[in-house]
Amino acid sequence: MIPDKEVKLIQMSQAAGCGAKIGPGTLQNILSGLPKFQDENLLVGIETNDDGAVYKISEDLAIIQTLDFFPPVADDPYVFGQAAAANALSDIYAMGGEPKIALNIVAWPNCVNPEFLGRILAGGADKVKEAGAVLAGGHSIEDQAPKYGLSVTGFVDPKKMFKNCGAKPGDVLILTKPLGTGIVNTAVKAGLASKEAEEEVIKVMTCLNKIAKETAEKYDVHSCTDVTGFGLAGHGTEMADGSNVTLKISISALPVQPEAAEYAKMGMVPEGAYRNRKFTEKKVDCQAAKEFEQDIFYDPQTSGGLLLSVSPEDGENIIKDLKAAGLNTSFAIIGTVVEREEKSVRLVP
């Protein structure tokens, strides 16, 4: 048994949080060989790379099913539990749904005091409660590295659900959380992050997308996804390709966590960012961006914000409403949607 004072959760795995995801290129090759399932009530499956599966129950009700788990993103077990749960719940919000039931997913090394696991589960339970859902069990295994997450079922009106396709030329793009999570967490793992940067990344990761979703659903959302392990680059290209448009993103408008740019310049860039770059670089025009800005663009996010495509008028109103609602992370209009060009995403100054 490792002495409690020597337990460093974030050091117990090679990658942290969503940075541990299998690269999008590898994943695409794997999924392409799977059989295709057909069901008239399956409204959203794996074909569109959306955030969850949606199955129609009636004309006014569909269920959203999702599952997400990952290695530690913080040494504090309670914070890790909060971040992992917020990340899993986000998939429901990204589809315009309301979380209802959650199940724990746990992998735990028997060399660590199980009291740490209890704190992880407490953090997750508190986020499920904050979301207004219920926690109803789960499944656990022994493993060399700790991992935690949730399987979540949510409800949505099929006529009102969000999808990651449907963005229209003339729309504006809103991002509801700042970028840089993977970079800052890499600096934390290396012992180079300031206390302020570490506190900010924890605040971002543990913030539910509940307020952002409840604000956006009052308006006509043309397209929505949450920005997680594939970074703004990956999730942005999915939205652009699914909508047959190009996203024009302003580098200067991007909300970025404090010190993330400094750490990127120092080379504190997670491996997942390089996988994201390799997969999407042929679809992205980023000549206007400096190298560290590109690193932030490709950076895998853990429990990132919603990326929304809406009309300019609705965009301004959503920003006003988010401010009035007191959303405690930075957010901004980050660009526009234009007619399809050669590239899926174009970065501009």
Side-chain angles (χ1 to χ4, degrees), residues 239-285:
M239 179 182 286
D241 292 346
S243 306
N244 194 32
V245 296
T246 289
L247 308 188
K248 189 169 70 171
I249 294 175
S250 172
I251 301 165
S252 61
L254 289 175
V256 179
Q257 292 173 46
E259 300 181 45
E262 176 184 341
Y263 299 144
K265 292 176 183 177
M266 294 167 58
M268 296 289 104
V269 180
E271 184 180 350
Y274 298 108
R275 292 196 297 265
N276 292 341
R277 180 189 291 263
K278 183 178 180 180
F279 182 68
T280 60
E281 60 184 353
K282 292 182 179 180
K283 297 183 176 184
V284 172
D285 177 2

Tab-separated table of all heavy atoms in Angstrom, residues 239-285:
chain	number	residue	atom	x	y	z
A	239	MET	N	-17.903	19.767	-36.853
A	239	MET	CA	-19.058	20.625	-37.069
A	239	MET	C	-19.072	21.172	-38.490
A	239	MET	O	-20.109	21.176	-39.165
A	239	MET	CB	-19.080	21.784	-36.058
A	239	MET	CG	-20.239	22.743	-36.243
A	239	MET	SD	-20.231	24.140	-35.072
A	239	MET	CE	-20.743	23.323	-33.557
A	240	ALA	N	-17.918	21.624	-38.960
A	240	ALA	CA	-17.833	22.202	-40.308
A	240	ALA	C	-18.145	21.166	-41.381
A	240	ALA	O	-18.930	21.425	-42.304
A	240	ALA	CB	-16.442	22.800	-40.532
A	241	ASP	N	-17.540	19.997	-41.269
A	241	ASP	CA	-17.745	18.953	-42.274
A	241	ASP	C	-19.177	18.443	-42.261
A	241	ASP	O	-19.776	18.198	-43.318
A	241	ASP	CB	-16.771	17.794	-42.047
A	241	ASP	CG	-15.328	18.179	-42.321
A	241	ASP	OD1	-15.106	19.247	-42.930
A	241	ASP	OD2	-14.428	17.419	-41.920
A	242	GLY	N	-19.736	18.278	-41.067
A	242	GLY	CA	-21.115	17.805	-40.972
A	242	GLY	C	-22.121	18.802	-41.500
A	242	GLY	O	-23.208	18.434	-41.938
A	243	SER	N	-21.746	20.082	-41.468
A	243	SER	CA	-22.638	21.153	-41.924
A	243	SER	C	-22.318	21.624	-43.340
A	243	SER	O	-23.026	22.479	-43.882
A	243	SER	CB	-22.538	22.351	-40.965
A	243	SER	OG	-22.771	21.980	-39.622
A	244	ASN	N	-21.226	21.119	-43.924
A	244	ASN	CA	-20.765	21.526	-45.257
A	244	ASN	C	-20.520	23.034	-45.320
A	244	ASN	O	-20.933	23.719	-46.258
A	244	ASN	CB	-21.749	21.089	-46.347
A	244	ASN	CG	-21.140	21.186	-47.742
A	244	ASN	OD1	-19.939	20.999	-47.911
A	244	ASN	ND2	-21.962	21.487	-48.725
A	245	VAL	N	-19.822	23.527	-44.292
A	245	VAL	CA	-19.462	24.945	-44.222
A	245	VAL	C	-18.005	25.045	-43.785
A	245	VAL	O	-17.342	24.030	-43.544
A	245	VAL	CB	-20.354	25.706	-43.214
A	245	VAL	CG1	-21.814	25.704	-43.665
A	245	VAL	CG2	-20.219	25.112	-41.804
A	246	THR	N	-17.521	26.265	-43.670
A	246	THR	CA	-16.199	26.516	-43.102
A	246	THR	C	-16.353	27.421	-41.884
A	246	THR	O	-17.136	28.377	-41.910
A	246	THR	CB	-15.272	27.185	-44.140
A	246	THR	OG1	-14.938	26.215	-45.146
A	246	THR	CG2	-13.989	27.696	-43.504
A	247	LEU	N	-15.641	27.094	-40.826
A	247	LEU	CA	-15.638	27.928	-39.627
A	247	LEU	C	-14.443	28.875	-39.702
A	247	LEU	O	-13.302	28.440	-39.871
A	247	LEU	CB	-15.534	27.069	-38.358
A	247	LEU	CG	-16.528	25.920	-38.181
A	247	LEU	CD1	-16.382	25.311	-36.776
A	247	LEU	CD2	-17.962	26.363	-38.422
A	248	LYS	N	-14.709	30.163	-39.605
A	248	LYS	CA	-13.657	31.184	-39.595
A	248	LYS	C	-13.498	31.657	-38.150
A	248	LYS	O	-14.368	32.367	-37.620
A	248	LYS	CB	-14.006	32.342	-40.527
A	248	LYS	CG	-12.870	33.325	-40.723
A	248	LYS	CD	-13.154	34.313	-41.846
A	248	LYS	CE	-14.249	35.283	-41.480
A	248	LYS	NZ	-14.388	36.372	-42.485
A	249	ILE	N	-12.402	31.253	-37.527
A	249	ILE	CA	-12.201	31.499	-36.098
A	249	ILE	C	-11.135	32.571	-35.890
A	249	ILE	O	-10.033	32.490	-36.446
A	249	ILE	CB	-11.806	30.198	-35.381
A	249	ILE	CG1	-12.978	29.205	-35.430
A	249	ILE	CG2	-11.396	30.463	-33.937
A	249	ILE	CD1	-12.664	27.843	-34.859
A	250	SER	N	-11.458	33.563	-35.068
A	250	SER	CA	-10.546	34.665	-34.780
A	250	SER	C	-9.635	34.297	-33.610
A	250	SER	O	-10.115	34.044	-32.498
A	250	SER	CB	-11.332	35.930	-34.450
A	250	SER	OG	-10.471	36.953	-33.995
A	251	ILE	N	-8.340	34.279	-33.856
A	251	ILE	CA	-7.374	33.915	-32.813
A	251	ILE	C	-7.470	34.867	-31.627
A	251	ILE	O	-7.449	34.454	-30.466
A	251	ILE	CB	-5.950	33.929	-33.387
A	251	ILE	CG1	-5.831	32.950	-34.549
A	251	ILE	CG2	-4.925	33.590	-32.309
A	251	ILE	CD1	-4.596	33.155	-35.404
A	252	SER	N	-7.589	36.153	-31.917
A	252	SER	CA	-7.616	37.158	-30.850
A	252	SER	C	-8.881	37.097	-30.008
A	252	SER	O	-8.903	37.608	-28.890
A	252	SER	CB	-7.465	38.556	-31.449
A	252	SER	OG	-8.542	38.836	-32.342
A	253	ALA	N	-9.937	36.465	-30.537
A	253	ALA	CA	-11.205	36.394	-29.813
A	253	ALA	C	-11.296	35.172	-28.905
A	253	ALA	O	-12.201	35.093	-28.065
A	253	ALA	CB	-12.369	36.381	-30.801
A	254	LEU	N	-10.375	34.228	-29.046
A	254	LEU	CA	-10.470	32.981	-28.283
A	254	LEU	C	-10.270	33.228	-26.787
A	254	LEU	O	-9.270	33.832	-26.377
A	254	LEU	CB	-9.423	31.978	-28.762
A	254	LEU	CG	-9.637	31.357	-30.143
A	254	LEU	CD1	-8.444	30.482	-30.510
A	254	LEU	CD2	-10.928	30.541	-30.167
A	255	PRO	N	-11.193	32.753	-25.947
A	255	PRO	CA	-10.930	32.795	-24.506
A	255	PRO	C	-9.895	31.730	-24.160
A	255	PRO	O	-10.021	30.572	-24.546
A	255	PRO	CB	-12.301	32.479	-23.888
A	255	PRO	CG	-13.019	31.671	-24.932
A	255	PRO	CD	-12.512	32.165	-26.266
A	256	VAL	N	-8.854	32.123	-23.460
A	256	VAL	CA	-7.750	31.216	-23.130
A	256	VAL	C	-7.429	31.349	-21.642
A	256	VAL	O	-7.398	32.460	-21.100
A	256	VAL	CB	-6.496	31.531	-23.967
A	256	VAL	CG1	-5.346	30.597	-23.584
A	256	VAL	CG2	-6.797	31.409	-25.458
A	257	GLN	N	-7.189	30.223	-21.003
A	257	GLN	CA	-6.875	30.250	-19.577
A	257	GLN	C	-5.566	30.988	-19.313
A	257	GLN	O	-4.617	30.891	-20.101
A	257	GLN	CB	-6.790	28.821	-19.039
A	257	GLN	CG	-8.132	28.112	-19.036
A	257	GLN	CD	-8.019	26.661	-18.665
A	257	GLN	OE1	-7.341	26.318	-17.706
A	257	GLN	NE2	-8.682	25.789	-19.419
A	258	PRO	N	-5.505	31.726	-18.198
A	258	PRO	CA	-4.289	32.466	-17.859
A	258	PRO	C	-3.061	31.546	-17.818
A	258	PRO	O	-3.132	30.436	-17.287
A	258	PRO	CB	-4.598	33.016	-16.459
A	258	PRO	CG	-6.095	33.080	-16.398
A	258	PRO	CD	-6.573	31.918	-17.207
A	259	GLU	N	-1.982	31.993	-18.417
A	259	GLU	CA	-0.684	31.319	-18.426
A	259	GLU	C	-0.604	30.142	-19.403
A	259	GLU	O	0.468	29.560	-19.591
A	259	GLU	CB	-0.274	30.869	-17.012
A	259	GLU	CG	-0.167	32.030	-16.028
A	259	GLU	CD	0.263	31.598	-14.632
A	259	GLU	OE1	1.201	30.790	-14.524
A	259	GLU	OE2	-0.340	32.067	-13.658
A	260	ALA	N	-1.727	29.770	-20.034
A	260	ALA	CA	-1.688	28.653	-20.986
A	260	ALA	C	-0.754	28.970	-22.154
A	260	ALA	O	0.014	28.110	-22.602
A	260	ALA	CB	-3.090	28.339	-21.499
A	261	ALA	N	-0.798	30.207	-22.643
A	261	ALA	CA	0.077	30.597	-23.750
A	261	ALA	C	1.545	30.513	-23.329
A	261	ALA	O	2.402	30.032	-24.086
A	261	ALA	CB	-0.267	32.003	-24.226
A	262	GLU	N	1.832	30.961	-22.117
A	262	GLU	CA	3.212	30.913	-21.608
A	262	GLU	C	3.704	29.468	-21.530
A	262	GLU	O	4.838	29.162	-21.926
A	262	GLU	CB	3.255	31.559	-20.217
A	262	GLU	CG	4.608	31.485	-19.543
A	262	GLU	CD	4.567	32.047	-18.123
A	262	GLU	OE1	3.626	32.796	-17.804
A	262	GLU	OE2	5.481	31.710	-17.346
A	263	TYR	N	2.857	28.564	-21.028
A	263	TYR	CA	3.268	27.166	-20.906
A	263	TYR	C	3.424	26.519	-22.284
A	263	TYR	O	4.306	25.679	-22.483
A	263	TYR	CB	2.260	26.385	-20.068
A	263	TYR	CG	2.110	26.896	-18.653
A	263	TYR	CD1	0.872	26.880	-18.007
A	263	TYR	CD2	3.203	27.402	-17.954
A	263	TYR	CE1	0.726	27.350	-16.714
A	263	TYR	CE2	3.061	27.891	-16.662
A	263	TYR	CZ	1.825	27.858	-16.049
A	263	TYR	OH	1.686	28.340	-14.767
A	264	ALA	N	2.576	26.895	-23.233
A	264	ALA	CA	2.699	26.362	-24.592
A	264	ALA	C	4.040	26.775	-25.202
A	264	ALA	O	4.707	25.975	-25.871
A	264	ALA	CB	1.541	26.851	-25.461
A	265	LYS	N	4.445	28.027	-24.972
A	265	LYS	CA	5.734	28.507	-25.485
A	265	LYS	C	6.902	27.741	-24.855
A	265	LYS	O	7.963	27.606	-25.458
A	265	LYS	CB	5.883	29.999	-25.209
A	265	LYS	CG	4.922	30.880	-25.991
A	265	LYS	CD	5.064	32.345	-25.580
A	265	LYS	CE	4.053	33.218	-26.297
A	265	LYS	NZ	4.136	34.643	-25.854
A	266	MET	N	6.676	27.215	-23.631
A	266	MET	CA	7.703	26.444	-22.927
A	266	MET	C	7.740	24.989	-23.384
A	266	MET	O	8.607	24.223	-22.954
A	266	MET	CB	7.447	26.497	-21.424
A	266	MET	CG	7.607	27.865	-20.793
A	266	MET	SD	6.929	27.924	-19.091
A	266	MET	CE	7.880	26.633	-18.293
A	267	GLY	N	6.772	24.610	-24.244
A	267	GLY	CA	6.726	23.223	-24.701
A	267	GLY	C	5.874	22.314	-23.854
A	267	GLY	O	5.915	21.086	-24.019
A	268	MET	N	5.084	22.892	-22.951
A	268	MET	CA	4.204	22.083	-22.096
A	268	MET	C	2.932	21.702	-22.855
A	268	MET	O	1.819	22.104	-22.506
A	268	MET	CB	3.838	22.872	-20.829
A	268	MET	CG	5.006	23.197	-19.917
A	268	MET	SD	5.638	21.738	-19.066
A	268	MET	CE	7.120	21.422	-19.981
A	269	VAL	N	3.108	20.930	-23.912
A	269	VAL	CA	1.996	20.570	-24.800
A	269	VAL	C	1.745	19.063	-24.702
A	269	VAL	O	2.675	18.274	-24.907
A	269	VAL	CB	2.314	20.961	-26.256
A	269	VAL	CG1	1.156	20.583	-27.177
A	269	VAL	CG2	2.612	22.455	-26.349
A	270	PRO	N	0.531	18.631	-24.381
A	270	PRO	CA	0.261	17.199	-24.218
A	270	PRO	C	0.325	16.452	-25.543
A	270	PRO	O	0.113	17.021	-26.617
A	270	PRO	CB	-1.157	17.172	-23.641
A	270	PRO	CG	-1.777	18.445	-24.100
A	270	PRO	CD	-0.663	19.452	-24.124
A	271	GLU	N	0.617	15.162	-25.438
A	271	GLU	CA	0.739	14.331	-26.629
A	271	GLU	C	-0.535	14.359	-27.469
A	271	GLU	O	-0.491	14.302	-28.704
A	271	GLU	CB	1.075	12.903	-26.227
A	271	GLU	CG	1.313	11.968	-27.398
A	271	GLU	CD	1.641	10.554	-26.962
A	271	GLU	OE1	1.866	10.340	-25.749
A	271	GLU	OE2	1.670	9.660	-27.825
A	272	GLY	N	-1.687	14.441	-26.790
A	272	GLY	CA	-2.963	14.448	-27.506
A	272	GLY	C	-3.083	15.587	-28.492
A	272	GLY	O	-3.764	15.472	-29.520
A	273	ALA	N	-2.406	16.718	-28.208
A	273	ALA	CA	-2.457	17.857	-29.121
A	273	ALA	C	-1.779	17.521	-30.448
A	273	ALA	O	-2.242	17.931	-31.517
A	273	ALA	CB	-1.785	19.073	-28.479
A	274	TYR	N	-0.706	16.752	-30.389
A	274	TYR	CA	-0.001	16.361	-31.613
A	274	TYR	C	-0.821	15.353	-32.424
A	274	TYR	O	-0.812	15.386	-33.659
A	274	TYR	CB	1.374	15.805	-31.264
A	274	TYR	CG	2.256	16.825	-30.578
A	274	TYR	CD1	2.549	16.722	-29.217
A	274	TYR	CD2	2.778	17.908	-31.279
A	274	TYR	CE1	3.338	17.664	-28.587
A	274	TYR	CE2	3.575	18.860	-30.659
A	274	TYR	CZ	3.844	18.739	-29.303
A	274	TYR	OH	4.618	19.685	-28.676
A	275	ARG	N	-1.551	14.471	-31.718
A	275	ARG	CA	-2.440	13.544	-32.425
A	275	ARG	C	-3.562	14.317	-33.108
A	275	ARG	O	-3.935	14.022	-34.250
A	275	ARG	CB	-3.022	12.517	-31.449
A	275	ARG	CG	-1.998	11.543	-30.879
A	275	ARG	CD	-2.680	10.347	-30.241
A	275	ARG	NE	-3.514	10.712	-29.107
A	275	ARG	CZ	-3.106	10.679	-27.846
A	275	ARG	NH1	-1.868	10.297	-27.550
A	275	ARG	NH2	-3.918	11.012	-26.861
A	276	ASN	N	-4.115	15.306	-32.404
A	276	ASN	CA	-5.174	16.127	-32.997
A	276	ASN	C	-4.666	16.898	-34.202
A	276	ASN	O	-5.358	17.021	-35.222
A	276	ASN	CB	-5.719	17.108	-31.949
A	276	ASN	CG	-6.478	16.417	-30.827
A	276	ASN	OD1	-6.915	15.278	-30.972
A	276	ASN	ND2	-6.644	17.102	-29.712
A	277	ARG	N	-3.451	17.433	-34.109
A	277	ARG	CA	-2.863	18.179	-35.217
A	277	ARG	C	-2.671	17.277	-36.438
A	277	ARG	O	-3.025	17.652	-37.572
A	277	ARG	CB	-1.523	18.777	-34.799
A	277	ARG	CG	-0.829	19.582	-35.905
A	277	ARG	CD	0.593	19.952	-35.498
A	277	ARG	NE	0.614	20.924	-34.428
A	277	ARG	CZ	0.767	22.236	-34.602
A	277	ARG	NH1	0.884	22.725	-35.832
A	277	ARG	NH2	0.804	23.053	-33.576
A	278	LYS	N	-2.131	16.089	-36.215
A	278	LYS	CA	-1.874	15.167	-37.322
A	278	LYS	C	-3.154	14.794	-38.053
A	278	LYS	O	-3.183	14.683	-39.284
A	278	LYS	CB	-1.185	13.903	-36.793
A	278	LYS	CG	-0.818	12.905	-37.879
A	278	LYS	CD	-0.086	11.699	-37.295
A	278	LYS	CE	0.274	10.706	-38.388
A	278	LYS	NZ	0.993	9.521	-37.832
A	279	PHE	N	-4.246	14.621	-37.279
A	279	PHE	CA	-5.504	14.184	-37.878
A	279	PHE	C	-6.205	15.296	-38.647
A	279	PHE	O	-6.854	15.054	-39.661
A	279	PHE	CB	-6.434	13.643	-36.791
A	279	PHE	CG	-7.746	13.129	-37.316
A	279	PHE	CD1	-7.808	11.991	-38.108
A	279	PHE	CD2	-8.936	13.790	-37.026
A	279	PHE	CE1	-9.014	11.512	-38.599
A	279	PHE	CE2	-10.152	13.319	-37.503
A	279	PHE	CZ	-10.191	12.178	-38.300
A	280	THR	N	-6.088	16.541	-38.180
A	280	THR	CA	-6.892	17.627	-38.753
A	280	THR	C	-6.116	18.627	-39.593
A	280	THR	O	-6.721	19.476	-40.242
A	280	THR	CB	-7.616	18.413	-37.630
A	280	THR	OG1	-6.634	18.969	-36.741
A	280	THR	CG2	-8.554	17.513	-36.846
A	281	GLU	N	-4.772	18.556	-39.600
A	281	GLU	CA	-3.999	19.640	-40.217
A	281	GLU	C	-4.304	19.847	-41.697
A	281	GLU	O	-4.197	20.969	-42.208
A	281	GLU	CB	-2.503	19.406	-40.019
A	281	GLU	CG	-1.949	18.141	-40.611
A	281	GLU	CD	-0.482	17.953	-40.267
A	281	GLU	OE1	0.118	18.880	-39.673
A	281	GLU	OE2	0.076	16.883	-40.582
A	282	LYS	N	-4.722	18.796	-42.408
A	282	LYS	CA	-5.054	18.951	-43.827
A	282	LYS	C	-6.391	19.661	-44.022
A	282	LYS	O	-6.692	20.131	-45.119
A	282	LYS	CB	-5.080	17.593	-44.511
A	282	LYS	CG	-3.712	16.927	-44.616
A	282	LYS	CD	-3.781	15.608	-45.357
A	282	LYS	CE	-2.414	14.966	-45.477
A	282	LYS	NZ	-2.473	13.660	-46.197
A	283	LYS	N	-7.179	19.740	-42.952
A	283	LYS	CA	-8.491	20.383	-43.032
A	283	LYS	C	-8.485	21.798	-42.475
A	283	LYS	O	-9.513	22.475	-42.501
A	283	LYS	CB	-9.532	19.547	-42.277
A	283	LYS	CG	-9.761	18.156	-42.849
A	283	LYS	CD	-10.865	17.445	-42.074
A	283	LYS	CE	-11.184	16.088	-42.683
A	283	LYS	NZ	-12.313	15.416	-42.002
A	284	VAL	N	-7.331	22.214	-41.960
A	284	VAL	CA	-7.257	23.487	-41.248
A	284	VAL	C	-6.255	24.423	-41.911
A	284	VAL	O	-5.154	24.012	-42.279
A	284	VAL	CB	-6.851	23.252	-39.775
A	284	VAL	CG1	-6.579	24.570	-39.078
A	284	VAL	CG2	-7.926	22.470	-39.041
A	285	ASP	N	-6.642	25.686	-42.048
A	285	ASP	CA	-5.724	26.729	-42.491
A	285	ASP	C	-5.362	27.545	-41.259
A	285	ASP	O	-6.162	28.345	-40.761
A	285	ASP	CB	-6.398	27.615	-43.542
A	285	ASP	CG	-5.514	28.779	-43.993
A	285	ASP	OD1	-4.365	28.870	-43.504
A	285	ASP	OD2	-5.980	29.586	-44.809
